[in-house]
Amino acid sequence: MKFRGQIYIPAINWMLCVATIAVTLIFNNTVSLGNAYGLCVTIVTFITTIIVSLVALIVWRWNVFVVGFFFLFFAFLDFVYLSSTLLKIAQGAWFTLAIGIIFTSFMLLWHWGKENQWEYEKNTSRKLTDIVSVVREDSSSSVETDHIYGLQLVGSDTPIVKFEGLGVFFDQSGFNAPQVYSHFVENFAVIHSVVVFVHFRQVNVPTIPKDERVAVFPTELQNHYRLIISRGYADIQPFAKNGKSSGEDLTSLIVDSIIEALTESKDTNSKVRHVRNAVAHHVSYMIGKASFEPKAESSRLRKLGLSIFGFIRNNVRNGKVYISDVPKAKLVEIGMTYEI
Protein backbone atom coordinates (compact mmCIF):
# COMPACT_ATOMS: atom_id res chain seq x y z
CA MET A 1 0.00 0.00 0.00
CA LYS A 2 1.26 3.47 -0.86
CA PHE A 3 0.70 6.45 1.42
CA ARG A 4 0.63 10.00 0.14
CA GLY A 5 3.59 12.06 1.31
CA GLN A 6 5.88 9.22 2.33
CA ILE A 7 9.37 9.02 0.86
CA TYR A 8 11.45 5.86 0.75
CA ILE A 9 15.15 6.08 -0.10
CA PRO A 10 16.76 2.62 -0.05
CA ALA A 11 20.32 3.95 0.33
CA ILE A 12 19.35 5.89 3.48
CA ASN A 13 17.71 2.81 4.97
CA TRP A 14 20.87 0.75 4.43
CA MET A 15 23.03 3.51 5.93
CA LEU A 16 20.81 3.63 9.02
CA CYS A 17 20.96 -0.17 9.27
CA VAL A 18 24.77 -0.21 9.16
CA ALA A 19 25.01 2.72 11.61
CA THR A 20 22.63 1.04 14.08
CA ILE A 21 24.65 -2.18 14.05
CA ALA A 22 27.92 -0.23 14.44
CA VAL A 23 26.61 1.75 17.43
CA THR A 24 25.40 -1.44 19.10
CA LEU A 25 28.83 -3.03 18.67
CA ILE A 26 30.73 0.07 19.86
CA PHE A 27 28.95 0.27 23.22
CA ASN A 28 29.95 -2.63 25.44
CA ASN A 29 26.96 -2.40 27.77
CA THR A 30 23.31 -1.44 27.65
CA VAL A 31 23.72 1.30 30.29
CA SER A 32 25.91 3.48 28.06
CA LEU A 33 23.66 2.82 25.09
CA GLY A 34 20.63 3.78 27.18
CA ASN A 35 22.29 7.03 28.27
CA ALA A 36 23.01 7.97 24.66
CA TYR A 37 19.45 7.12 23.65
CA GLY A 38 17.97 8.99 26.62
CA LEU A 39 19.76 12.23 25.76
CA CYS A 40 18.64 11.89 22.16
CA VAL A 41 14.98 11.49 23.18
CA THR A 42 14.99 14.41 25.62
CA ILE A 43 16.62 16.74 23.06
CA VAL A 44 14.00 15.73 20.47
CA THR A 45 11.10 16.39 22.84
CA PHE A 46 12.53 19.80 23.83
CA ILE A 47 12.96 20.81 20.17
CA THR A 48 9.45 19.51 19.42
CA THR A 49 8.00 21.74 22.12
CA ILE A 50 9.72 24.78 20.62
CA ILE A 51 8.57 23.99 17.06
CA VAL A 52 4.97 23.23 18.07
CA SER A 53 4.83 26.53 19.96
CA LEU A 54 6.05 28.42 16.89
CA VAL A 55 3.51 26.64 14.67
CA ALA A 56 0.70 27.40 17.11
CA LEU A 57 1.69 31.07 17.20
CA ILE A 58 2.49 31.67 13.51
CA VAL A 59 0.39 29.12 11.60
CA TRP A 60 -2.56 28.30 13.84
CA ARG A 61 -2.75 31.89 15.16
CA TRP A 62 -3.39 30.88 18.76
CA ASN A 63 -3.52 33.49 21.48
CA VAL A 64 -0.02 34.45 22.58
CA PHE A 65 -0.86 33.85 26.26
CA VAL A 66 -2.17 30.35 25.54
CA VAL A 67 0.95 29.54 23.55
CA GLY A 68 3.15 31.03 26.26
CA PHE A 69 1.48 28.90 28.96
CA PHE A 70 1.81 25.79 26.78
CA PHE A 71 5.47 26.47 26.08
CA LEU A 72 6.45 27.25 29.68
CA PHE A 73 4.67 24.19 31.06
CA PHE A 74 6.09 21.62 28.63
CA ALA A 75 9.47 23.33 28.27
CA PHE A 76 9.90 23.14 32.07
CA LEU A 77 9.19 19.38 32.04
CA ASP A 78 11.47 18.84 29.04
CA PHE A 79 14.25 20.86 30.66
CA VAL A 80 14.07 18.77 33.84
CA TYR A 81 14.53 15.55 31.86
CA LEU A 82 17.16 17.13 29.60
CA SER A 83 19.25 18.41 32.50
CA SER A 84 19.21 14.97 34.13
CA THR A 85 20.35 13.21 30.96
CA LEU A 86 23.14 15.78 30.47
CA LEU A 87 24.67 14.46 33.70
CA LYS A 88 25.28 11.20 31.83
CA ILE A 89 27.58 12.68 29.18
CA ALA A 90 30.64 10.87 30.50
CA GLN A 91 28.69 7.59 30.71
CA GLY A 92 27.76 7.37 27.04
CA ALA A 93 25.58 10.41 26.33
CA TRP A 94 28.62 12.06 24.68
CA PHE A 95 27.92 9.99 21.58
CA THR A 96 24.60 11.74 20.96
CA LEU A 97 26.19 15.17 21.32
CA ALA A 98 29.07 14.20 19.01
CA ILE A 99 26.72 12.96 16.27
CA GLY A 100 24.56 16.08 16.61
CA ILE A 101 27.55 18.43 16.40
CA ILE A 102 28.97 16.61 13.36
CA PHE A 103 25.70 16.64 11.40
CA THR A 104 24.87 20.21 12.40
CA SER A 105 28.33 21.39 11.33
CA PHE A 106 27.96 19.55 8.03
CA MET A 107 24.57 21.12 7.27
CA LEU A 108 25.67 24.62 8.28
CA LEU A 109 28.81 24.34 6.16
CA TRP A 110 26.82 23.03 3.21
CA HIS A 111 24.28 25.83 3.52
CA TRP A 112 27.03 28.44 3.78
CA GLY A 113 28.84 27.05 0.75
CA LYS A 114 25.68 26.90 -1.37
CA GLU A 115 24.81 30.47 -0.37
CA ASN A 116 28.23 31.60 -1.62
CA GLN A 117 27.79 29.61 -4.82
CA TRP A 118 24.32 31.02 -5.50
CA GLU A 119 25.50 34.55 -4.75
CA TYR A 120 28.36 34.18 -7.23
CA GLU A 121 26.05 32.76 -9.92
CA LYS A 122 23.52 35.53 -9.31
CA ASN A 123 26.16 38.26 -9.64
CA THR A 124 27.70 36.73 -12.78
CA SER A 125 24.44 35.71 -14.44
CA ARG A 126 23.92 37.34 -17.84
CA LYS A 127 21.29 37.45 -20.53
CA LEU A 128 21.94 35.66 -23.79
CA THR A 129 22.22 38.97 -25.62
CA ASP A 130 25.01 40.01 -23.24
CA ILE A 131 27.06 37.02 -24.41
CA VAL A 132 26.13 36.52 -28.04
CA SER A 133 24.95 39.03 -30.64
CA VAL A 134 23.33 38.51 -34.04
CA VAL A 135 25.37 40.26 -36.71
CA ARG A 136 23.58 39.18 -39.87
CA GLU A 137 20.73 37.17 -41.26
CA ASP A 138 21.32 35.13 -44.43
CA SER A 139 17.94 35.14 -46.11
CA SER A 140 19.37 33.50 -49.24
CA SER A 141 20.14 30.23 -47.44
CA SER A 142 17.71 27.34 -47.44
CA VAL A 143 15.55 27.55 -44.33
CA GLU A 144 14.82 23.86 -44.70
CA THR A 145 18.38 22.84 -43.89
CA ASP A 146 20.42 25.76 -42.62
CA HIS A 147 18.61 28.52 -40.75
CA ILE A 148 21.96 30.29 -40.93
CA TYR A 149 22.43 33.53 -39.06
CA GLY A 150 25.67 35.13 -38.00
CA LEU A 151 26.71 35.20 -34.37
CA GLN A 152 29.63 36.74 -32.59
CA LEU A 153 30.76 37.27 -29.03
CA VAL A 154 29.60 40.52 -27.47
CA GLY A 155 32.45 43.00 -27.04
CA SER A 156 34.68 41.42 -29.67
CA ASP A 157 34.83 40.63 -33.37
CA THR A 158 35.20 36.91 -32.74
CA PRO A 159 32.66 35.01 -34.84
CA ILE A 160 30.92 32.00 -33.40
CA VAL A 161 31.13 28.89 -35.55
CA LYS A 162 27.95 26.87 -35.74
CA PHE A 163 27.86 23.14 -36.34
CA GLU A 164 24.87 20.93 -37.05
CA GLY A 165 23.53 19.24 -33.94
CA LEU A 166 21.38 19.57 -30.83
CA GLY A 167 23.11 20.88 -27.71
CA VAL A 168 21.35 20.29 -24.39
CA PHE A 169 22.73 22.54 -21.62
CA PHE A 170 21.59 21.63 -18.14
CA ASP A 171 20.53 24.80 -16.36
CA GLN A 172 20.42 25.18 -12.57
CA SER A 173 18.76 28.58 -12.30
CA GLY A 174 16.02 28.47 -14.94
CA PHE A 175 16.62 32.05 -16.13
CA ASN A 176 19.23 33.95 -18.14
CA ALA A 177 22.06 32.01 -19.77
CA PRO A 178 23.44 29.01 -17.85
CA GLN A 179 26.98 29.38 -16.55
CA VAL A 180 28.04 26.32 -18.55
CA TYR A 181 26.72 27.89 -21.78
CA SER A 182 28.58 31.17 -21.39
CA HIS A 183 31.75 29.33 -20.34
CA PHE A 184 31.54 27.03 -23.36
CA VAL A 185 30.75 29.69 -25.96
CA GLU A 186 33.24 32.29 -24.74
CA ASN A 187 36.12 29.81 -24.56
CA PHE A 188 35.50 27.79 -27.72
CA ALA A 189 33.51 30.25 -29.90
CA VAL A 190 31.40 27.40 -31.30
CA ILE A 191 27.78 26.42 -30.75
CA HIS A 192 25.24 23.87 -31.90
CA SER A 193 22.70 24.75 -34.57
CA VAL A 194 19.92 24.13 -32.02
CA VAL A 195 20.41 24.83 -28.31
CA VAL A 196 18.11 23.85 -25.47
CA PHE A 197 18.48 24.98 -21.85
CA VAL A 198 16.96 22.26 -19.67
CA HIS A 199 16.03 23.15 -16.11
CA PHE A 200 14.68 20.55 -13.68
CA ARG A 201 12.39 22.12 -11.12
CA GLN A 202 11.68 20.15 -7.97
CA VAL A 203 8.25 21.11 -6.61
CA ASN A 204 7.19 20.53 -2.99
CA VAL A 205 4.09 18.51 -3.89
CA PRO A 206 3.78 14.73 -4.27
CA THR A 207 2.95 14.71 -7.96
CA ILE A 208 2.33 17.00 -10.92
CA PRO A 209 -0.20 16.30 -13.70
CA LYS A 210 1.51 15.00 -16.82
CA ASP A 211 0.25 17.84 -19.00
CA GLU A 212 1.84 20.39 -16.63
CA ARG A 213 5.28 18.82 -16.21
CA VAL A 214 6.97 20.32 -19.26
CA ALA A 215 6.99 23.96 -20.39
CA VAL A 216 8.83 25.42 -23.39
CA PHE A 217 9.80 29.09 -23.59
CA PRO A 218 11.47 31.08 -26.37
CA THR A 219 14.69 32.97 -25.75
CA GLU A 220 16.26 36.10 -27.19
CA LEU A 221 18.17 34.12 -29.83
CA GLN A 222 16.86 32.13 -32.74
CA ASN A 223 17.05 28.33 -32.35
CA HIS A 224 17.69 28.71 -28.62
CA TYR A 225 14.94 27.26 -26.42
CA ARG A 226 14.34 26.93 -22.68
CA LEU A 227 12.72 23.78 -21.36
CA ILE A 228 11.53 23.56 -17.75
CA ILE A 229 10.69 20.09 -16.46
CA SER A 230 8.79 20.06 -13.17
CA ARG A 231 8.71 17.05 -10.89
CA GLY A 232 6.97 16.26 -7.62
CA TYR A 233 8.85 14.34 -4.96
CA ALA A 234 6.71 11.21 -5.57
CA ASP A 235 6.94 11.38 -9.37
CA ILE A 236 9.14 9.08 -11.40
CA GLN A 237 11.36 10.65 -14.06
CA PRO A 238 9.10 12.85 -16.23
CA PHE A 239 10.63 11.29 -19.33
CA ALA A 240 10.59 7.69 -18.09
CA LYS A 241 8.70 4.99 -19.94
CA ASN A 242 7.32 2.00 -18.06
CA GLY A 243 9.06 3.23 -14.91
CA LYS A 244 12.54 3.19 -16.50
CA SER A 245 14.36 6.19 -17.92
CA SER A 246 17.07 6.54 -20.52
CA GLY A 247 18.88 9.21 -22.49
CA GLU A 248 16.77 8.44 -25.53
CA ASP A 249 13.60 9.12 -23.51
CA LEU A 250 14.99 12.49 -22.43
CA THR A 251 15.91 13.39 -26.02
CA SER A 252 12.44 12.40 -27.20
CA LEU A 253 10.82 14.53 -24.51
CA ILE A 254 12.92 17.56 -25.45
CA VAL A 255 12.35 17.24 -29.20
CA ASP A 256 8.63 16.45 -28.93
CA SER A 257 8.03 19.34 -26.51
CA ILE A 258 9.83 21.85 -28.75
CA ILE A 259 8.02 20.66 -31.87
CA GLU A 260 4.67 20.88 -30.08
CA ALA A 261 5.47 24.44 -28.98
CA LEU A 262 6.54 25.40 -32.51
CA THR A 263 3.22 24.36 -34.02
CA GLU A 264 1.74 27.62 -32.77
CA SER A 265 4.49 29.83 -34.21
CA LYS A 266 5.15 31.17 -37.70
CA ASP A 267 7.28 29.31 -40.23
CA THR A 268 6.49 26.11 -38.34
CA ASN A 269 7.52 23.59 -40.97
CA SER A 270 11.00 24.99 -41.53
CA LYS A 271 11.72 25.29 -37.79
CA VAL A 272 10.52 21.76 -37.12
CA ARG A 273 12.67 20.42 -39.95
CA HIS A 274 15.62 22.35 -38.59
CA VAL A 275 15.20 20.76 -35.16
CA ARG A 276 14.83 17.27 -36.65
CA ASN A 277 17.94 17.76 -38.80
CA ALA A 278 19.95 18.81 -35.77
CA VAL A 279 18.85 15.74 -33.81
CA ALA A 280 19.63 13.47 -36.77
CA HIS A 281 23.20 14.80 -36.98
CA HIS A 282 24.28 14.80 -33.36
CA VAL A 283 23.00 15.22 -29.79
CA SER A 284 25.25 16.22 -26.91
CA TYR A 285 24.49 16.95 -23.27
CA MET A 286 26.54 19.68 -21.59
CA ILE A 287 26.82 19.92 -17.83
CA GLY A 288 29.00 22.23 -15.75
CA LYS A 289 31.18 21.16 -12.85
CA ALA A 290 32.27 24.04 -10.68
CA SER A 291 35.33 24.16 -8.47
CA PHE A 292 35.82 26.89 -5.89
CA GLU A 293 38.87 29.10 -5.54
CA PRO A 294 38.93 31.51 -2.58
CA LYS A 295 39.97 35.07 -3.37
CA ALA A 296 43.49 36.05 -2.39
CA GLU A 297 42.25 38.44 0.30
CA SER A 298 40.04 35.78 1.94
CA SER A 299 40.78 34.83 5.53
CA ARG A 300 42.29 31.45 6.36
CA LEU A 301 39.04 30.33 7.96
CA ARG A 302 37.08 31.18 4.81
CA LYS A 303 39.63 29.39 2.63
CA LEU A 304 39.42 26.32 4.85
CA GLY A 305 35.60 26.39 4.76
CA LEU A 306 35.50 26.64 0.95
CA SER A 307 38.06 23.85 0.62
CA ILE A 308 36.01 21.53 2.82
CA PHE A 309 32.79 22.49 1.03
CA GLY A 310 34.40 21.84 -2.36
CA PHE A 311 35.66 18.45 -1.19
CA ILE A 312 32.22 17.45 0.11
CA ARG A 313 30.49 18.70 -3.03
CA ASN A 314 32.81 16.71 -5.28
CA ASN A 315 32.35 13.51 -3.32
CA VAL A 316 28.68 13.42 -2.42
CA ARG A 317 26.18 11.74 -4.67
CA ASN A 318 25.40 13.91 -7.68
CA GLY A 319 22.07 15.64 -7.18
CA LYS A 320 21.36 15.67 -10.91
CA VAL A 321 19.85 12.20 -10.92
CA TYR A 322 17.99 13.17 -14.07
CA ILE A 323 21.15 12.79 -16.16
CA SER A 324 22.20 9.46 -14.67
CA ASP A 325 20.88 7.57 -17.68
CA VAL A 326 22.23 9.91 -20.36
CA PRO A 327 24.66 7.99 -22.62
CA LYS A 328 28.12 8.71 -21.28
CA ALA A 329 29.49 9.07 -24.81
CA LYS A 330 27.18 12.06 -25.33
CA LEU A 331 27.67 13.70 -21.92
CA VAL A 332 30.25 16.49 -21.83
CA GLU A 333 31.32 17.79 -18.41
CA ILE A 334 32.75 21.29 -18.56
CA GLY A 335 34.91 22.43 -15.68
CA MET A 336 34.49 25.94 -14.32
CA THR A 337 36.27 27.80 -11.55
CA TYR A 338 34.34 30.10 -9.24
CA GLU A 339 36.53 32.68 -7.52
CA ILE A 340 34.60 33.39 -4.35
Side-chain angles (χ1 to χ4, degrees), residues 22-39:
V23 169
T24 304
L25 294 175
I26 290 174
F27 287 96
N28 56 7
N29 59 76
T30 57
V31 175
S32 297
L33 187 61
N35 291 335
Y37 178 74
L39 180 59

Side-chain angles (χ1 to χ4, degrees), residues 170 172 180 286-290 313 320 332-336:
F170 290 102
Q172 293 185 351
V180 61
M286 323 293 286
I287 182 173
K289 183 176 182 179
R313 188 175 182 273
K320 301 180 180 65
V332 181
E333 190 174 72
I334 300 176
M336 303 176 293

Side-chain angles (χ1 to χ4, degrees), residues 19 21 35 40-41 72 74 81 95 101 105 111 123 144 164 170 184 193 206 235 237 259 266 273 279 323 326-327:
I21 296 174
N35 291 335
C40 177
V41 171
L72 291 175
F74 285 98
Y81 286 109
F95 182 78
I101 292 173
S105 300
H111 178 75
N123 294 334
E144 296 185 2
E164 197 69 30
F170 290 102
F184 178 79
S193 57
D235 287 330
Q237 302 287 33
I259 290 176
K266 299 179 180 179
R273 281 193 292 268
V279 175
I323 67 170
V326 172

Side-chain angles (χ1 to χ4, degrees), residues 32-47 78 81-90 92-98:
S32 297
L33 187 61
N35 291 335
Y37 178 74
L39 180 59
C40 177
V41 171
T42 53
I43 290 176
V44 169
T45 55
F46 185 66
I47 293 175
D78 291 334
Y81 286 109
L82 179 60
S83 60
S84 63
T85 54
L86 286 174
L87 298 175
K88 304 294 183 180
I89 290 180
W94 63 266
F95 182 78
T96 300
L97 288 179

